[in-house]
Amino acid sequence: MLLVTGGAGFIGSNVVAALNDAGRDVAVCDVLGQDGKWRNLAKRRLADFVPPSELMDWLKSRRLDAVIHLGAISETTATDGDLVIETNFRLSLRLLDWCTANATPLIYASSAATYGDGDQGFDDDASIDALKKLRPMNLYGWSKHLFDMAVAERAARGERLPPQWAGLKFFNVFGPNEYHKGTMMSVLARRFDDIRAGRPVQLFKSHREGIADGDQRRDFIYVDDVVRVMMWLVATPSVSGLFNVGTGTARSFRDLMLSAYTALGTKPNIQYIDMPEAIRGSYQYFTQSEVDRLQHAGYNGGFTALEHAVETYVKGFLDCTDRFR
């Protein structure tokens, strides 16, 4: 059996689907709430479903093939520091200790938010000196960075760790089952109904010289590619480390939306609006992962081109009556 924390969430439910397809027994730890998140798991087979408050008791005297730890408060706008630290940092430490004591592989979600404004680049160097230079810009990114540092410091001191540990710095992931995330959904999912209805899609104007409106760039990665990396890690327990999970290619928000129009065969209708004053000073204009370490570790699964990924998402999910995987 494998445990997937956050298994009812966006990336987690896609991982559960892949594990089901591979014939693996899966237990999920998550909170379903009242926002319809249960639909992410409606087509899945589960060996158990565990509330986070009961997780450590549930783990007692249990043997697992691996823990895939994706559960977190992932909103970059979160402001309850105590809740975020308890959920994202302290629970992660408890799972790290359990996996160490029980010789169980731990694959966990870090985040590209740990890189802050990107001034230090996007190199997934797991050395203490490199990590100390990072300055996350929000509470969520800081909580993820704290755990990366805790694992890296144990590794640097030669302390015991799980037989496999892998922290994954996800970049801008999009794909099916993200619909419960509200404002944290990808801009494609948020704006798709406008595209299909012929309403104008609004993107931010640029407030930086030399960058065109809508040309702010992100490393967009389709969720299937993210899942493929995690399934490879599950099958390759000799690989440990901190790894970026992105395509290595930055594309613009305009490219993303134009790909959706192309997939639907409709004429683009994009309007550019002023970016709110409150976020202009902290808005990231560019993110792009460096994926050399993942590839040098042996991963050769490749990444889906943006246009193909958008077409798959649109035709296979967003433009369907049933949008869930």
Side-chain angles (χ1 to χ4, degrees), residues 58-85:
W58 182 86
L59 284 169
K60 290 177 180 176
S61 303
R62 195 173 294 271
R63 301 296 299 174
L64 296 171
D65 292 329
V67 172
I68 301 176
H69 179 38
L70 306 175
I73 294 173
S74 59
E75 290 82 1
T76 57
T77 55
T79 57
D80 188 335
D82 296 313
L83 181 61
V84 169
I85 287 300

Side-chain angles (χ1 to χ4, degrees), residues 52-279:
S53 60
E54 300 176 15
L55 178 58
M56 299 315 296
D57 283 338
W58 182 86
L59 284 169
K60 290 177 180 176
S61 303
R62 195 173 294 271
R63 301 296 299 174
L64 296 171
D65 292 329
V67 172
I68 301 176
H69 179 38
L70 306 175
I73 294 173
S74 59
E75 290 82 1
T76 57
T77 55
T79 57
D80 188 335
D82 296 313
L83 181 61
V84 169
I85 287 300
E86 176 60 33
T87 304
N88 293 5
F89 180 55
R90 297 195 68 232
L91 177 58
S92 298
L93 287 175
R94 290 194 286 273
L95 278 174
L96 176 65
D97 290 340
W98 185 89
C99 287
T100 299
N102 290 274
T104 303
L106 174 65
I107 299 166
Y108 74 89
S110 180
S111 173
T114 59
Y115 291 119
D117 61 10
D119 281 352
Q120 298 295 325
F122 301 97
D123 183 0
D124 49 359
D125 185 344
S127 70
I128 300 301
D129 287 344
L131 290 174
K132 282 182 176 179
K133 294 177 182 177
L134 301 183
R135 294 291 181 268
M137 297 172 67
N138 52 56
L139 179 60
Y140 164 70
W142 177 62
S143 70
K144 290 293 188 179
H145 181 59
L146 278 180
F147 187 63
D148 289 341
M149 286 285 292
V151 177
E153 286 174 346
R154 292 189 188 191
R157 291 194 296 261
E159 296 181 12
R160 284 185 64 206
L161 284 168
Q164 177 189 28
W165 63 270
L168 305 180
K169 295 198 174 196
F170 299 130
F171 277 67
N172 286 69
V173 188
F174 68 101
N177 294 11
E178 61 174 315
Y179 321 117
H180 64 284
K181 292 173 66 68
T183 58
M184 293 294 108
M185 279 193 295
S186 68
V187 65
L188 173 56
R190 292 203 311 272
R191 301 291 181 245
F192 181 77
D193 288 338
D194 290 332
I195 294 173
R196 187 166 57 182
R199 295 187 292 267
V201 169
Q202 295 181 333
L203 296 178
F204 285 143
K205 292 180 180 178
S206 171
H207 295 272
R208 187 172 294 181
E209 188 176 349
I211 297 177
D213 294 341
D215 199 37
Q216 302 93 336
R217 295 178 178 246
R218 297 286 184 273
D219 191 333
F220 297 108
I221 181 168
Y222 194 50
V223 70
D224 285 3
D225 293 340
V226 170
V227 171
R228 197 175 299 117
V229 170
M230 282 189 277
M231 293 296 286
W232 173 75
L233 283 165
V234 168
T236 317
S238 59
V239 173
S240 292
L242 189 62
F243 302 106
N244 284 334
V245 181
T247 66
T249 302
R251 299 291 300 274
S252 71
F253 284 99
R254 184 176 60 249
D255 289 341
L256 181 71
M257 305 317 292
L258 289 177
S259 296
Y261 282 108
T262 298
L264 282 175
T266 57
K267 183 178 179 181
N269 184 7
I270 299 175
Q271 292 181 349
Y272 298 101
I273 61 172
D274 285 328
M275 189 181 297
E277 291 274 2
I279 67 172

Side-chain angles (χ1 to χ4, degrees), residues 3 27-31 48-56 58:
L3 171 68
V28 164
C29 174
D30 211 330
V31 176
D48 205 347
F49 190 97
V50 188
S53 60
E54 300 176 15
L55 178 58
M56 299 315 296
W58 182 86

